[in-house]
Amino acid sequence: MPERCQEPMRCCPENGRNAMSIHTRKITDSCRDKDCIEDLRVYLTKGSQSLFESAASAKVRCVELLYTYIDVEPVAFDRNHYCVDVTFYYRVLADAVIGAARPASLYGLAVFSKRAVLCGEDSKAHIYCSDTRIGGPDGMTRIGANRPTAIVEVLDPMVLCSKVREVCDCRVPECSAQIPGEIRSLFDEELVITGDRKRLFVTLGQFSIIRLERDAQLVVPVLDYSIPTKECSDSPGCAEDPCEMFSRIPFPASQFTPHNCDRPADAPCNSSPCCGK
């Protein structure tokens, strides 16, 4: 007895006009988060820290997400799950009140790290592509060739509140900030990590989505090849003549028709009992 076909679309093309194998990324697991990041220290630039030391008060105006670093490591006790370590780097803009003068602008950096454990599925195949370079900048070595890809989508955070503290009043544990040189180079001045007397802290609200993706081959129905309908144009402005486009717009006769007092002019036709009768 012949074996039953396991791929109906491939074996029975009458189910569709055709079938095609495609290579894409399959989402193996995902999660969303709504983080309230309390008392996140702001590392001000050298000039900003000097102004901040003599300021009567300071308030964070806005925060911009500069960069997100993502690292994926397998969970030791479950080979199907992976730890996704995410580090967010923010540019912080604040206003400091110094005497009776206008508020002075302060700039600095804030760093926040979080971890998510997601299912990345297990695959014993080592996947390489033609542009793989061993030890190259793409990082596609044999050690990491079988790990899923982590994707993080995040919005710019909302500033919830900010506060100023003396160094001796800081109740958060001291730790040395791991700030890559590429992030430091985004600021005009050196960031002050230690040796300060006053520190600025900010509380942020952040929405994010984290997912793991793995390469997969799928069979999908193909109805027809997608042929563009838009004609190519070398004009930097409008792609077509505006009068030609206007000529294809139907005349809005209904907008010239008088309406009774009970029905607004922009109300849909079926909203009136006398409409169409």
Side-chain angles (χ1 to χ4, degrees):
M1 181 177 178
E3 295 184 1
R4 185 175 181 180
C5 179
Q6 300 297 322
E7 300 180 2
M9 274 189 286
R10 185 188 298 276
C11 305
C12 305
E14 62 273 10
N15 293 341
R17 291 187 57 181
N18 204 346
M20 176 180 292
S21 296
I22 65 169
H23 176 265
T24 185
R25 283 184 172 180
K26 169 189 175 183
I27 299 177
T28 61
D29 199 3
S30 62
C31 64
R32 67 180 186 183
D33 244 338
K34 182 180 178 181
D35 293 302
C36 182
I37 312 166
E38 294 186 275
D39 294 340
L40 192 63
R41 182 186 170 186
V42 179
Y43 299 96
L44 297 173
T45 61
K46 191 173 183 179
S48 296
Q49 184 66 42
S50 178
L51 292 173
F52 180 60
E53 296 286 354
S54 58
S57 62
K59 182 179 181 180
V60 173
R61 187 194 312 172
C62 63
V63 177
E64 172 195 7
L65 180 63
L66 283 178
Y67 183 73
T68 301
Y69 173 77
I70 310 169
D71 184 46
V72 180
E73 295 291 339
V75 177
F77 53 85
D78 191 344
R79 61 187 306 173
N80 287 327
H81 288 74
Y82 293 80
C83 287
V84 183
D85 292 306
V86 187
T87 303
F88 302 100
Y89 298 92
Y90 309 100
R91 188 201 308 272
V92 181
L93 175 61
D95 293 323
V97 178
I98 304 176
R102 294 181 58 187
S105 296
L106 307 180
Y107 298 89
L109 174 75
V111 183
F112 170 63
S113 298
K114 64 177 299 179
R115 168 174 289 186
V117 178
L118 297 173
C119 176
E121 298 187 349
D122 186 26
S123 174
K124 299 184 181 301
H126 293 280
I127 303 172
Y128 298 92
C129 57
S130 59
D131 58 356
T132 297
R133 297 187 182 96
I134 301 299
D138 57 2
M140 290 293 293
T141 61
R142 184 174 177 82
I143 297 177
N146 191 29
R147 293 178 185 173
T149 301
I151 306 295
V152 177
E153 298 182 41
V154 58
L155 302 179
D156 279 333
M158 303 169 55
V159 179
L160 302 180
C161 73
S162 58
K163 60 183 66 174
V164 178
R165 288 179 180 168
E166 300 289 338
V167 172
C168 59
D169 185 42
C170 294
R171 293 182 291 274
V172 294
E174 284 287 343
C175 61
S176 57
Q178 301 295 327
I179 304 175
E182 293 79 4
I183 300 297
R184 294 174 183 261
S185 65
L186 298 177
F187 295 86
D188 297 334
E189 296 181 295
E190 181 183 356
L191 297 172
V192 177
I193 307 299
T194 59
D196 49 348
R197 293 186 295 108
K198 294 169 64 176
R199 292 178 180 175
L200 179 63
F201 292 83
V202 63
T203 297
L204 305 177
Q206 179 176 268
F207 297 93
S208 62
I209 296 176
I210 303 175
R211 65 177 182 268
L212 286 181
E213 298 179 350
R214 190 177 282 280
D215 288 349
Q217 296 184 33
L218 303 176
V219 178
V220 298
V222 178
L223 301 180
D224 204 346
Y225 285 102
S226 177
I227 305 298
T229 57
K230 177 182 176 181
E231 295 184 0
C232 299
S233 172
D234 58 359
S235 172
C238 296
E240 58 181 336
D241 180 62
C243 292
E244 172 64 22
M245 180 184 65
F246 182 72
S247 67
R248 296 197 299 269
I249 299 177
F251 192 86
S254 61
Q255 298 186 25
F256 288 87
T257 304
H259 300 279
N260 58 38
C261 298
D262 297 330
R263 186 169 72 92
D266 57 349
C269 183
N270 57 9
S271 65
S272 174
C274 64
C275 193
K277 294 185 180 179

